[in-house]
Amino acid sequence: MRYIKLATAALFLIAACLGCSGGKPAGIPSLSKVQVTVVKSGTPVKDANVFLVPAVGTASGSWSVSGKTDVQGLAVINTSQGDWSGIGAPEGEYKIYLTKFAQIEEPEMPANMDEDEEAKAAYYAEREKRLKEAGNEIPASMNDAERSGLKVSVAGPLTELTIDVDEAK
């Protein structure tokens, strides 16, 4: 009987804790779904980070609004604060900026790289070339909300936007 009371009390405690967590933090307005597609020369850009920064007059707070593109170049934008995250962004006007860390397929490392300076130089030259090509996928002007010139107005149940990085300033 004693174990039943303890188990019941533990279940109530767990239920109470679960009921307190996971809710939207105070101060975050209702969210509207936002999808941003990023392309370069008509090809989807995978693993690009998309950030929305509130423009003048748009609610802002201690939350962030961002997403990351998938293999189709699609980022579903989320608003997050601490451990909480919700799909969408608060309605309003936003400036956008993009970032992407260069990801490459590493060149084959020569077996005699430690002894052969020429092989070592060729390896690092090829690696540098691949990094440079991958790093140019997002123009530097799009890495800053003020310089990118990208904007979106979030309103209604769904806002969709396609960004072609070839059109960078």
Side-chain angles (χ1 to χ4, degrees), residues 21-133:
S21 65
K24 184 168 71 169
I28 295 181
S30 62
L31 305 178
S32 296
K33 190 169 182 180
V34 180
Q35 296 179 338
V36 177
T37 302
V38 180
V39 297
K40 179 179 178 70
S41 302
T43 303
V45 177
K46 181 184 175 219
D47 294 326
N49 301 297
V50 181
F51 298 95
L52 278 63
V53 179
V56 176
T58 296
S60 64
S62 59
W63 60 81
S64 64
V65 183
S66 64
K68 186 172 186 172
T69 59
D70 61 16
V71 294
Q72 284 86 30
L74 178 67
V76 175
I77 302 300
N78 292 294
T79 297
S80 60
Q81 182 180 52
D83 292 337
W84 179 86
S85 180
I87 295 173
E91 290 191 354
E93 303 295 321
Y94 292 88
K95 296 175 184 177
I96 303 172
Y97 70 97
L98 308 171
T99 64
K100 181 177 177 179
F101 294 107
Q103 297 176 351
I104 62 167
E105 182 177 328
E106 292 287 338
E108 187 174 334
M109 191 176 289
N112 62 342
M113 197 161 110
D114 290 336
E115 298 88 34
D116 187 346
E117 287 299 317
E118 199 171 298
K120 183 177 185 177
Y123 168 79
Y124 283 113
E126 177 62 23
R127 188 172 192 284
E128 183 66 28
K129 176 184 162 199
R130 292 180 186 189
L131 281 169
K132 185 176 181 183
E133 288 171 357

Side-chain angles (χ1 to χ4, degrees), residues 93-96 148-153 161:
E93 303 295 321
Y94 292 88
K95 296 175 184 177
I96 303 172
S148 75
L150 301 169
K151 296 179 183 178
V152 66
S153 180
L161 174 69

